[in-house]
Every structure is written in C-alpha cells, then in structure tokens.
Amino acid sequence: GSRECSPVEPVADHDEATRARPVAPPLAEGHLHGICDSLHDHALGDTVYLFNEQYVVKAAEQGIPFSWHQDSGFIDYPHRPYLTCWIALDDMTEANGTVYLLPYLRAGTQDLVKHARDEESNDLVGYFGNDPGDPVIVSAGSIVCFSSTLFHRSGPNTTDRVRRVYVAQYSAEPILSKDRLQPLRLAE
C-alpha cells in the first residue's frame, strides 16, 4: 500500500508559526508522484517534510559554474542531514552545466565541513581538492537524489539554450531556525 507524505506534527509549543505542515498535495500527487514512498522506504523514515524548493536556471552561453559545496554548508549550526532531489527539466550535459557529484570515499568524508566564502565568485566552498567529480548526464524528467552532506558542483552553461532544474529538499524532521522558534525555510 501507499503511504502518505502528509503527517502534521507540532514542532514546538510556541504558536501556529512553529507548526510543521504536510508535504503539499500538488508535490505528492503531481510531477513527483511516487517519490514519497521512496523517501519513506529508503531515506528518511515514516515522516517526510518538504524543507526547501527552488528552480535553478543557467542562462544560455553565460550560466556560470557553481563551486564544490554541501547543501548543509548553507546552514551554520547543527542539523540533521536532509535529502536533495535534483530534477532535470532539460536533458543534462557537461556542456549545459550539469551537476557533478563527488562520492564520499573520494571526498574523504561524509561529514559536514566548514565552508569558506570564495571572494571572486561569492560561492560557499567546502571542497578544495583536484577530483573533478562525476557528471550527471541524464534526460529531462530524471530525478537524482543525494544527501545534503554530499559534495556537488555544477559547470558553466556554454550552450545556446537555458538549462533548468527543479530542486526539492526533504527532511525527516522540520529544520528549524537557529533559535528553534520557527522553520528555517519550509516545514511542509
């Protein structure tokens, strides 16, 4: 049977703003149909929260590269790792700036590391080694899921077309603000 991504659990006793909400039905039933069961069964457990979502668009012939980082590197206090689902809206190639993943063994860690701000690009960078990583070459509609502690980067888009990705990030518990009074981003 299918499980639902819709538990509603209070995350604190403060007020309505601190209540977690279920994964939005359009996500659970729309273009990500079926991903909730996989998240339950293989990655996050019985309760899954939508933490963050965004569209990432690399402009044609000028989309710049993005440095090696861990998604958890953008949260500067302890938190449980979460799952990033990187959904290709276009066919992904090295030429259009696909994502590159660096396996834990080759990165030398699966722990969160301190990231440093690159003065030139303003990127937060967490890996400074020479390993180029593995390019993710997939067709439009493919979903690549990885931990928020996995190093990844993307290349520049040198093609004459935009490169689009939808990113949805899920957590096993609401990721709260540093003061723990409200969700950091979403807690749906």
Side-chain angles (χ1 to χ4, degrees), residues 14 22 30 36 39 48 95 110 116-117 128-129 145 162 170 172 174 178 183:
H14 301 286
C36 289
L39 293 175
V48 175
Q110 63 185 62
R117 181 79 54 194
F128 298 92
C145 295
V162 297
Y170 296 92
K178 197 170 196 171

Side-chain angles (χ1 to χ4, degrees), residues 39 43-44 49 51-52 54 66-86 99-104 107 109-115 124-127 144-153 167-175 184-185:
L39 293 175
L44 298 175
Y49 296 91
F51 165 58
N52 189 40
Q54 61 187 343
F66 197 55
S67 300
W68 283 115
H69 66 280
Q70 298 165 302
D71 290 339
S72 280
F74 292 92
I75 303 174
D76 66 349
Y77 51 90
H79 62 281
R80 188 170 170 184
Y82 50 92
L83 186 71
T84 295
C85 297
W86 191 87
V99 69
Y100 291 72
L101 305 179
L102 185 59
Y104 288 131
T109 187
Q110 63 185 62
D111 295 328
L112 177 61
V113 302
K114 184 163 179 61
H115 286 53
L124 277 179
V125 184
Y127 175 76
V144 179
C145 295
F146 51 91
S147 170
S148 63
T149 61
L150 186 77
F151 282 106
H152 58 286
R153 67 174 180 91
V167 175
Q169 295 170 314
Y170 296 92
S171 58
E173 62 191 21
I175 297 176
L184 178 61
R185 293 192 181 93

Side-chain angles (χ1 to χ4, degrees), residues 7-8 16-17 23 30 34 53 60-61 63-64 88 90 95 104 114 124 126 130 141 155 163 172 183 188:
V8 178
E16 192 62 30
V23 171
E53 62 181 338
E61 300 173 348
I64 61 174
D90 298 300
Y104 288 131
K114 184 163 179 61
L124 277 179
N130 294 323
R163 189 275 276 160
E188 298 180 349

Side-chain angles (χ1 to χ4, degrees), residues 117-128:
R117 181 79 54 194
D118 180 282
E119 302 234 355
E120 187 175 315
S121 68
N122 205 33
D123 291 349
L124 277 179
V125 184
Y127 175 76
F128 298 92

